[in-house]
């Protein structure tokens, strides 16, 4: 009997199946340092322990996306090892800031299945929950991924596509305990723009670009213990290219958004996201944002901006999301809708 794990194929999933993912992963300050080496991030809260303490967060949290990538990586061997591509996210909430020393464990429940018309692949919908060392929920999200079938002749399961909320309601956002932006240091943060300076419908060109490299994207993906074959093995795709992990593009775009959104300090929720086109080493990523909504919160001095973050291959000064045909414009790599906490 083989002792190795070939990963699950589409026909291995069943509706309601619950998967406990190995292995727990402890967050360290090394993750913070490596994240800063991989992405041009400069947000003050995860960068400065003194700044974080000044707004009520002590010890200083790591970037929310570090926690997301670690928790997501746990799911890969069981959910997407044999994936064609990760397709999207919804209903992601960060329940509390993650700090060095926290240990994350992840479990997933299969909430939907849909075989594709080609009979060779299918879409698996899962809801994943990451808990900390005390069993408290740290973050949760839903995602859907296209997975290969092992046996193309295997019968299709009953088609179940879950209804997922398009937006996490602002009243369901979890504001970190003690967060207080009343005495926010705008000079230290890097920009003067606050909640009232942003208008719904406004678009912000983040200007800067970063060319993706083969070594960096594989290092990042290994850092999160994401073992998906398509990111490492040139034999895993017919075109012989290693696919850039979608989370790498998310983190790159988020880091680039500092220029224009430096005070969008904390991600409270990800409403939805789509990887609209593949990215490969050599592509140069740019980003722009659109303000979709604004809301006040109960925390002192804290407002919430609902933002659309768009990553593109090559800079698009026109900031075009979709063409006249309703399809994503050429060059769009990522369409991410999220809530960020900003000073009022």
């Amino acid at each position: 009997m083989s002792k190795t794990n070939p990963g699950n194929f589409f026909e291995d999933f069943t509706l309601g199946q619950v998967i406990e993912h190995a292995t727990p992963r402890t967050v360290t300050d090394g993750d913070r340092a490596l994240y800063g080496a991989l992405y041009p991030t400069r947000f003050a809260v995860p960068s400065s322990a003194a700044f974080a303490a000044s707004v009520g967060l002590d010890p200083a949290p790591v970037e929310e996306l570090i926690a997301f990538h670690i928790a997501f990586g746990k799911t890969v061997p069981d959910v997407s090892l044999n994936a064609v591509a990760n397709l999207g996210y919804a209903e992601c909430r960060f329940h509390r800031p993650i700090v060095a020393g926290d240990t994350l464990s992840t479990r997933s429940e299969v909430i939907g299945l849909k075989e594709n018309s080609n009979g060779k692949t299918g879409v698996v919908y899962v809801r994943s929950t990451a808990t900390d060392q005390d069993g408290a929920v740290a973050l949760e999200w839903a995602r859907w991924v296209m997975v290969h079938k092992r046996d193309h002749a295997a019968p299709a399961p009953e088609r179940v596509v879950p209804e997922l909320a398009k937006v996490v309601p602002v009243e369901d956002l979890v504001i970190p305990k003690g967060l207080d932006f009343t005495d926010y240091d705008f000079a230290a943060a890097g920009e003067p723009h606050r909640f009232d300076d942003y208008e719904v419908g406004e678009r912000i060109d983040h200007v800067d670009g970063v060319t993706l490299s083969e070594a960096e994207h594989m290092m990042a993906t290994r850092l999160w213990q994401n073992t998906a074959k398509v990111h490492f093995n040139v034999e895993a795709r017919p075109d012989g290219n290693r696919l850039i992990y979608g989370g790498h593009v998310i983190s790159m775009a988020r880091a680039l958004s500092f220029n224009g959104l430096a005070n969008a300090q904390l991600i409270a929720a990800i409403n939805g996201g789509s990887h609209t086109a593949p990215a490969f080493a050599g592509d140069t990523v740019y980003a722009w944002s659109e303000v979709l909504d604004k809301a006040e919160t109960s925390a002192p001095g804290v407002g919430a901006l609902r933002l659309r973050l768009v990553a593109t291959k090559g800079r698009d000064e026109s900031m075009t999301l979709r063409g006249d045909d309703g399809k994503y414009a050429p060059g769009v790599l990522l369409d991410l809708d999220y809530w960020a906490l900003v000073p009022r």
Side-chain angles (χ1 to χ4, degrees):
M1 179 182 293
S2 173
K3 292 182 172 60
T4 58
N5 176 21
N8 289 318
F9 290 84
F10 180 70
E11 60 264 41
D12 296 323
F13 294 97
T14 57
L15 195 66
Q17 178 183 4
V18 175
I19 305 169
E20 301 286 347
H21 304 293
T23 58
R25 168 78 149 74
T26 300
V27 181
T28 71
D29 277 320
D31 292 301
R32 190 195 307 272
L34 272 171
Y35 192 91
L38 291 163
Y39 310 109
T41 183
R42 291 177 284 160
F43 294 99
V45 166
S47 295
S48 166
F51 189 98
S54 75
V55 298
L57 302 180
D58 186 13
V62 298
E63 302 243 5
E64 293 85 2
L65 291 175
I66 289 179
F68 178 77
H69 294 326
I70 288 174
F72 181 98
K74 301 293 94 186
T75 71
V76 169
D78 301 307
V79 175
S80 50
L81 192 65
N82 296 305
V84 179
N86 188 59
L87 300 177
Y89 314 92
E91 299 181 359
C92 174
R93 290 196 304 158
F94 296 89
H95 285 253
R96 71 168 184 82
I98 298 301
V99 301
D102 282 339
T103 298
L104 299 177
S105 302
T106 310
R107 69 196 297 268
S108 297
E109 179 183 356
V110 178
I111 58 173
L113 294 167
K114 181 185 70 172
E115 183 168 292
N116 291 327
S117 58
N118 63 13
K120 299 177 181 179
T121 59
V123 178
V124 180
Y125 299 79
V126 298
R127 187 179 302 281
S128 300
T129 304
T131 54
D132 65 15
Q133 61 277 5
D134 299 317
V137 175
L139 64 148
E140 60 182 338
W141 72 98
R143 72 160 168 142
W144 49 104
V145 57
M146 188 185 303
V147 180
H148 288 290
K149 290 182 69 175
R150 178 192 295 106
D151 177 6
H152 295 173
E158 178 186 358
R159 177 188 173 103
V160 176
V161 177
E163 291 188 16
L164 299 170
K166 293 184 178 180
V167 181
V168 175
V170 68
E171 58 269 22
D172 289 345
L173 299 181
V174 181
I175 309 300
K177 184 179 180 181
L179 185 66
D180 186 342
F181 282 164
T182 304
D183 297 320
Y184 189 91
D185 188 339
F186 288 89
E191 286 183 352
H193 316 304
R194 61 176 75 217
F195 181 77
D196 287 338
D197 295 323
Y198 294 94
E199 297 181 1
V200 174
E202 177 181 3
R203 292 191 174 188
I204 305 161
D205 182 356
H206 301 302
V207 180
D208 307 303
V210 174
T211 302
L212 301 175
S213 74
E214 202 79 274
E216 286 178 341
H217 93 80
M218 287 191 292
M219 181 184 296
T221 311
R222 283 285 189 232
L223 180 63
W224 318 128
Q225 297 178 330
N226 181 331
T227 57
K229 302 170 186 176
V230 291
H231 304 315
F232 304 102
N233 186 344
V234 296
E235 297 179 355
R237 286 174 52 90
D239 61 10
N241 290 319
R242 284 176 283 233
L243 182 70
I244 301 288
Y245 164 45
H248 191 64
V249 177
I250 292 175
S251 281
M252 192 64 74
R254 163 69 174 163
L256 292 173
S257 75
F258 178 90
N259 190 353
L261 283 168
N263 294 318
Q265 289 289 353
L266 301 167
I267 299 175
I270 296 175
N271 299 305
S274 297
H275 298 291
T276 58
F280 302 100
D283 291 345
T284 299
V285 174
Y286 291 83
W288 57 268
S289 292
E290 179 182 3
V291 180
L292 298 176
D293 199 0
K294 300 172 63 175
E296 297 182 357
T297 79
S298 59
V302 179
L305 294 180
R306 182 184 167 199
L307 301 165
R308 164 175 279 133
L309 176 60
V310 178
T312 61
K313 176 183 175 181
R315 187 177 174 198
D316 177 15
E317 295 185 26
S318 67
M319 292 181 281
T320 302
L321 182 67
R322 297 179 184 273
D324 294 337
D325 58 3
K327 296 180 180 180
Y328 282 104
V332 173
L333 298 172
L334 170 73
D335 180 8
L336 190 74
D337 179 338
Y338 70 104
W339 284 107
L341 303 180
V342 302
R344 291 171 55 188

